[in-house]
Amino acid sequence: MRPGVRHLLLAMLLTIGLLLTILGWPRWKARVALASMTTTTHYVDVNGTCGGATPCYTTIQAAVDAANDGDRIKVAAGTYTGVQTKVSSLTSYTYTQVVFIEGKSLTLQGGFSTSDWTTPNPTTNPTIIDAQGNGRGVTILGEWQEHVTLEGFQIINGDYTNLGNPPGVAWASCPFTGADCAGGLFAQYVRLTLRDLLLRNNTAGRLRAYSSGGGALLWGTLDGTTLENVQVFSNTAPVYGYGGGILVFYTTGGITITKGQFDQNQSDSNGGALLFDSVAGPVLIQDTRFVGNTSVSGRGGALDALLSTSMTLDRVEFRQNQANSKGAAIFVDHVGSGHGSLRFVNVLAAENSLASSADPYGATFEFVPGIAGQFDIDLLHVTVADNQTPAAMRFAQENSDAISFQARLTNTLVTSATYGLVGTHYTGTLTIDHTKTLFYNVAHPTAAEAGSPTFNGSGTLSGNPNLDGNQRLQAGSAAIDAGVQSGITRDIDGDGRPSGNGYDIGADEYTTGAPGDLRFRQATYAVAEGSALVVTVERVGGTDGTVSVEYVSADGTATSGNDYVPVSGTLTFAPGETSKTFTLTTLQDTNDEPDETIILTLQNPTGGATLASPSQATVTIIDDDLSPSGELLFSSAVYTVSEAAGTATITVLRQNGSSGTVSVQYSTSDGSARAGSDYTATAGTLTFADGETVKTFTIPILGDALFEGDETVNVSLFNPSGGATLGTPNQAILTITDATVRVYLPVILR
């Protein structure tokens, strides 16, 4: 979408939101007053006892339906399933999920035991919303005035394939035309608070292009939306999708993400972990890590932002992320005509990479101004080290109509790159002012890709920064006390600065004699049943002296001795050592069961070291056993039918088990063929009786007299029930061969 069109839509959205808010203000005040007088706590226990607390429900949805505006719902440990289809009274669109919240301000809290409804502990009492691949976990719809809080839940295994917009329809139950969205969580037109949450193994959609927001889609959320201690792990938007972890789309105000962890998420297009598209308010990301995220064919391996106002990153770390050719860690594009600003404080990027060498100036950080409006960039205490990208940072006016802009860098550390700071522009001016920049093992500290960017460097250094394995400073570093006064009082690890005679260059502040902090590299891991997992513990913020820390495993939903071999021990770090590992072994069985979890904990640090976040990690054992109900799959990934045949017959098989009655839904969508012209759109449900292994359905084929070549229809299976699972292939292509006969007339020469 062009920036001008995007900004116009955003302005319209903001205007509508403001009018609705104003019109709804008296009713909102009345609702809040009523809620404050009549708030009720509802209890949910999958076993239906609630330890005697009332009112008690067996499903979260039943409690939501019974709750009034402003109520609180407390949910006991357990796995909550049961996808349902709901038609919204607010939008008239259809949504498919385990929990559906509409038009209410509610607080939902997980992590309780039925013997203690006072103190939640999501680690000890895992409360899981599992969509089992049949829809999403949670859908939340508001009227521009609700505030919904979710805390202490795991939202897992969502898959919204073929459940979003119909073909040709946009801005409906999902944003993009004929696409799906939000595998785990969908929130629209509410103020949202997410706290102590895990979004894992959710998929926006596996078939239709532009299905986005693998873990979550936050669409039109209100100012003050906050994500605190949210772990976003192994979510996907695989088909030209945006925001593998989370897509934040056209909000009406600001958003804050704090103490977050984005690990191993993947998008096919932009924003492997997180994508912001036109947020109408300040964005703040702090104390957050992005590790191992991927944008397969797009930009922004971890983070992509279409920024219309301001964004601040404070104490943020990017490690081992990958994009295709631009923005291995970050890509920021200023859009619209407003005043945009970007501020990085204590940001570290290391071991990020680009998959393609097509762009000789491809960078770890890329910044692009809009075609109108002022864009200010301030980077303070940034480290870009040991990345596999040609350039560290690129400032690019990629449009010939782009305005002039200026970037200011203070106390920046860059290592191991062909180019340090790259500038390119067409019109106007591009000025990059950098003060106390340390370049080490950088062939060209500054470079003009196009045009004549101006680089104003003051106090540039070239000494060895002497970084440890986690890109923190060690004794003897040329960065120590070499910076200028910056006004920044903490470093990336939360340590005070300056700690010596002056400010250190880069994200880390070296402290003499600091033993460091100990933490897990990731907050969440996944391992196949019967396999071993190597877990890494990092030492950051200092490596002086010998320190140690104990590690121990505990049951989550997995059982020690049956599902895994319990582990415990002590890791000892010698002076200068930055990482240690231990191995967790899972056990193979033949039981078809849900994925199960193990809790790993670090404790009792010695030698002056302290624990840093995350000091607890959740390991998910991915079950690989087949259900006795069987797998449902197409008999072939490719079918062919003549345009003249009238119908195509598609066969679905049930393999590796046939116990009980099961069902699966099927549907078609356009490939190069068009519904209504080349074939009749088809959808339905196949039901297999006990022992039955083969079913078929037909797709009407529409003939015409036009010569148009062969055309294709996409066919998919989804939403298995009765304990059955989807096998492979569960997506197929039907090719309609053209039956039109060409007639060639003779050419007569006179």
Side-chain angles (χ1 to χ4, degrees):
M1 184 181 294
R2 291 179 299 167
V5 176
R6 180 184 294 113
H7 180 69
L8 177 61
L9 289 172
L10 176 61
M12 294 171 62
L13 182 63
L14 291 172
T15 302
I16 293 170
L18 179 61
L19 288 172
L20 289 174
T21 302
I22 293 172
L23 293 172
W25 175 250
R27 182 161 58 97
W28 179 83
K29 290 195 297 184
R31 287 172 60 179
V32 171
L34 179 63
S36 65
M37 292 185 296
T38 62
T39 296
T40 299
T41 298
H42 305 259
Y43 302 91
V44 181
D45 171 20
V46 71
N47 297 312
T49 65
C50 296
T54 57
C56 178
Y57 309 87
T58 57
T59 68
I60 301 173
Q61 189 62 55
V64 168
D65 292 343
N68 293 314
D69 191 64
D71 281 357
R72 182 180 302 271
I73 297 171
K74 295 185 176 183
V75 186
T79 299
Y80 296 84
T81 60
V83 161
Q84 59 197 313
T85 297
K86 296 274 191 177
V87 178
S88 168
S89 62
L90 298 179
T91 68
S92 299
Y93 301 130
T94 300
Y95 303 85
T96 304
Q97 61 285 300
V98 178
V99 179
F100 182 77
I101 302 170
E102 181 178 43
K104 296 178 183 179
S105 292
L106 296 174
T107 296
L108 279 70
Q109 293 178 286
F112 292 97
S113 71
T114 55
S115 60
D116 182 2
W117 291 104
T118 302
T119 306
N121 188 329
T123 301
T124 304
N125 306 309
T127 309
I128 302 168
I129 298 173
D130 185 351
Q132 299 179 315
N134 299 324
R136 69 169 65 104
V138 181
T139 298
I140 303 171
L141 304 175
E143 298 179 275
W144 308 87
Q145 57 193 356
E146 292 81 1
H147 182 185
V148 174
T149 297
L150 290 178
E151 59 181 80
F153 291 96
Q154 299 180 30
I155 301 176
I156 68 172
N157 298 333
D159 188 334
Y160 219 64
T161 298
N162 275 342
L163 296 173
N165 294 338
V169 175
W171 294 81
S173 61
C174 291
F176 303 115
T177 302
D180 303 315
C181 62
L185 168 68
F186 178 96
Q188 188 175 36
Y189 306 148
V190 297
R191 179 177 295 106
L192 188 67
T193 298
L194 304 179
R195 186 179 296 116
D196 300 331
L197 213 67
L198 170 64
L199 294 166
R200 180 183 67 80
N201 195 38
N202 301 289
T203 299
R206 301 180 187 275
L207 180 63
R208 302 195 288 180
Y210 308 111
S211 297
S212 301
L217 169 61
L218 313 184
W219 183 0
T221 52
L222 307 184
D223 189 48
T225 290
T226 301
L227 285 68
E228 179 182 350
N229 192 30
V230 174
Q231 299 172 26
V232 185
F233 176 71
S234 193
N235 304 282
T236 58
V239 189
Y240 302 107
Y242 300 95
I246 296 178
L247 169 60
V248 182
F249 187 73
Y250 281 86
T251 73
T252 63
I255 183 170
T256 296
I257 298 175
T258 182
K259 299 179 182 178
Q261 185 91 20
F262 291 76
D263 295 336
Q264 313 299 322
N265 301 285
Q266 180 175 297
S267 68
D268 186 56
S269 191
N270 304 338
L274 178 61
L275 189 142
F276 294 99
D277 190 343
S278 300
V279 178
V283 174
L284 172 61
I285 304 175
Q286 60 183 185
D287 290 333
T288 294
R289 303 180 71 219
F290 296 80
V291 180
N293 304 284
T294 304
S295 170
V296 175
S297 61
R299 67 194 195 193
L303 170 62
D304 186 278
L306 300 173
L307 182 64
S308 58
T309 54
S310 67
M311 173 182 284
T312 299
L313 272 63
D314 182 10
R315 288 167 283 135
V316 178
E317 188 167 351
F318 298 89
R319 299 272 291 275
Q320 301 173 340
N321 304 286
Q322 184 178 72
N324 183 36
S325 61
K326 293 184 178 182
I330 301 172
F331 192 101
V332 179
D333 187 355
H334 176 226
V335 298
S337 59
H339 183 175
S341 65
L342 182 67
R343 179 179 171 88
F344 284 11
V345 178
N346 297 320
V347 174
L348 185 153
E351 306 165 67
N352 303 283
S353 62
L354 294 174
S356 170
S357 59
D359 191 335
Y361 293 96
T364 303
F365 293 166
E366 302 218 17
F367 310 109
V368 179
I371 62 174
Q374 184 177 344
F375 188 38
D376 299 325
I377 298 178
D378 289 280
L379 310 181
L380 297 94
H381 292 285
V382 171
T383 295
V384 185
D386 295 332
N387 298 282
Q388 288 77 57
T389 61
M393 302 187 205
R394 185 186 193 194
F395 305 85
Q397 293 178 323
E398 295 185 332
N399 191 301
S400 60
D401 296 325
I403 65 167
S404 303
F405 86 111
Q406 181 180 28
R408 294 171 291 270
L409 289 71
T410 304
N411 298 336
T412 305
L413 173 58
V414 178
T415 78
S416 303
T418 303
Y419 306 101
L421 310 178
V422 173
T424 180
H425 77 292
Y426 290 88
T427 60
T429 61
L430 168 59
T431 303
I432 301 170
D433 296 328
H434 61 101
T435 301
K436 290 292 185 179
T437 306
L438 194 162
F439 296 102
Y440 181 72
N441 193 24
V442 177
H444 305 281
T446 61
E449 177 185 3
S452 302
T454 299
F455 297 94
N456 296 321
S458 174
T460 303
L461 296 89
S462 59
N464 189 342
N466 198 21
L467 299 175
D468 66 22
N470 291 315
Q471 289 74 41
R472 268 65 173 182
L473 304 180
Q474 300 181 94
S477 169
I480 295 174
D481 296 341
V484 296
Q485 208 281 349
S486 62
I488 305 302
T489 59
R490 290 185 293 172
D491 75 350
I492 191 168
D493 301 316
D495 299 326
R497 69 160 89 229
S499 65
N501 296 322
Y503 285 80
D504 295 348
I505 292 175
D508 179 49
E509 184 80 9
Y510 176 75
T511 302
T512 302
D517 306 315
L518 302 170
R519 70 184 185 190
F520 288 112
R521 172 166 290 183
Q522 295 178 201
T524 308
Y525 295 86
V527 60
E529 182 181 78
S531 300
L533 173 70
V534 177
V535 179
T536 300
V537 177
E538 297 179 332
R539 183 184 189 182
V540 298
T543 60
D544 288 349
T546 299
V547 302
S548 68
V549 67
E550 296 175 4
Y551 62 90
V552 63
S553 62
D555 292 354
T557 55
T559 302
S560 171
N562 291 327
D563 300 308
Y564 70 99
V565 178
V567 294
S568 61
T570 300
L571 300 175
T572 300
F573 295 75
E577 279 194 299
T578 59
S579 66
K580 287 284 188 179
T581 63
F582 64 90
T583 300
L584 174 70
T585 301
T586 64
L587 301 176
Q588 182 73 55
D589 61 31
T590 58
N591 299 322
D592 177 52
E593 54 196 353
D595 296 346
E596 297 173 306
T597 58
I598 307 163
I599 307 302
L600 301 178
T601 301
L602 297 178
Q603 60 190 23
N604 299 329
T606 67
T610 58
L611 296 179
S613 180
S615 60
Q616 280 192 330
T618 300
V619 179
T620 299
I621 304 173
I622 307 299
D623 183 59
D624 64 355
D625 298 304
L626 297 175
S627 167
S629 300
E631 294 180 305
L632 303 174
L633 63 152
F634 289 118
S635 61
S636 174
V638 178
Y639 297 90
T640 302
V641 65
S642 170
E643 180 184 53
T647 61
T649 299
I650 307 298
T651 301
V652 177
L653 304 177
R654 183 186 191 184
Q655 296 182 347
N656 299 316
S658 60
S659 176
T661 299
V662 302
S663 66
V664 67
Q665 293 178 260
Y666 62 87
S667 70
T668 58
S669 64
D670 289 354
S672 57
R674 295 291 176 262
S677 299
D678 303 305
Y679 73 101
T680 300
T682 303
T685 300
L686 297 177
T687 299
F688 294 75
D690 183 33
E692 197 170 13
T693 59
V694 179
K695 284 284 187 180
T696 62
F697 63 91
T698 59
I699 302 173
I701 305 300
L702 306 177
D704 57 39
L706 301 175
F707 179 78
E708 50 196 356
D710 296 348
E711 297 174 304
T712 60
V713 180
N714 299 318
V715 192
S716 65
L717 298 175
F718 57 100
N719 289 353
S721 68
T725 60
L726 291 180
T728 301
N730 53 60
Q731 313 289 342
I733 295 175
L734 169 65
T735 299
I736 305 172
T737 59
D738 189 30
T740 305
V741 177
R742 285 186 174 185
V743 178
Y744 295 91
L745 298 177
V747 177
I748 301 174
L749 300 177
R750 297 180 182 272

